[in-house]
Amino acid sequence: MIKISGIEIDCLKRYIEKKVESSSCDHSLGFAQEWAELNSFNFNDLIDILEANGGFCDCEIIWNLPEKEDLIIPDSKGNIDVENPWKIPNDYILKNKLFSKVLISNEKCKGNCYAENGEILIPAPFGATSKKRI
């Protein structure tokens, strides 16, 4: 479970507000990362909480995060391999299934696609969220 208290959120928002007022928002989480380092808060956990609540950049944190309210992200359910979360879970049973199609990347693959031309694309497991810190 990942948790940030309402007091920490208010502190984060005030910190970012002061920074944005003096140097504007560059649409990154740079000021949030500074705050996390100053307050010994795990930045990867902070990203998960912020993105789950509409805080995809510093200015969105100011506008979208609630005030004086704890934010909690429960642990994901399921048997996930810690070393490789994209692997099919051990308890997943596939009986008498035959697949006739696979997804292959090509040079037109844009955005968050890190596959090279001709590699097999693997769909994300159910409930997975995009991580921008690859």
Side-chain angles (χ1 to χ4, degrees):
M1 173 174 44
I2 303 169
K3 178 181 178 180
I4 184 169
S5 70
I7 294 168
E8 289 173 312
I9 291 171
D10 289 344
C11 178
L12 169 65
K13 288 173 76 171
R14 281 194 308 273
Y15 180 84
I16 292 173
E17 233 175 301
K18 288 177 184 175
K19 293 286 189 171
V20 168
E21 285 174 3
S22 65
S23 61
S24 77
C25 183
D26 64 357
H27 302 293
S28 73
L29 292 170
F31 299 138
Q33 184 172 9
E34 287 176 17
W35 179 87
E37 290 169 2
L38 290 170
N39 292 281
S40 302
F41 199 97
N42 184 313
F43 182 60
N44 290 331
D45 288 347
L46 183 62
I47 289 173
D48 292 339
I49 291 172
L50 296 175
E51 289 183 353
N53 290 281
F56 295 95
C57 76
D58 289 324
C59 61
E60 287 182 340
I61 291 170
I62 296 168
W63 291 104
N64 295 338
L65 261 60
E67 295 187 22
K68 296 178 177 61
E69 182 180 325
D70 294 351
L71 296 178
I72 300 171
I73 297 178
D75 291 331
S76 61
K77 295 178 182 169
N79 184 10
I80 296 174
D81 185 347
V82 176
E83 292 182 19
N84 184 1
W86 303 104
K87 188 171 96 177
I88 294 175
N90 296 330
D91 56 356
Y92 182 79
I93 299 173
L94 197 62
K95 294 182 180 179
N96 300 323
K97 292 271 184 168
L98 178 64
F99 295 96
S100 60
K101 298 178 184 177
V102 293
L103 298 170
I104 305 291
S105 69
N106 63 23
E107 63 274 353
K108 295 179 183 174
C109 187
K110 303 283 187 214
N112 288 334
C113 181
Y114 299 98
E116 294 187 21
N117 190 27
E119 286 186 324
I120 294 175
L121 298 175
I122 301 169
F126 179 75
T129 57
S130 173
K131 303 292 183 197
K132 296 178 182 166
R133 53 191 177 277
I134 294 175

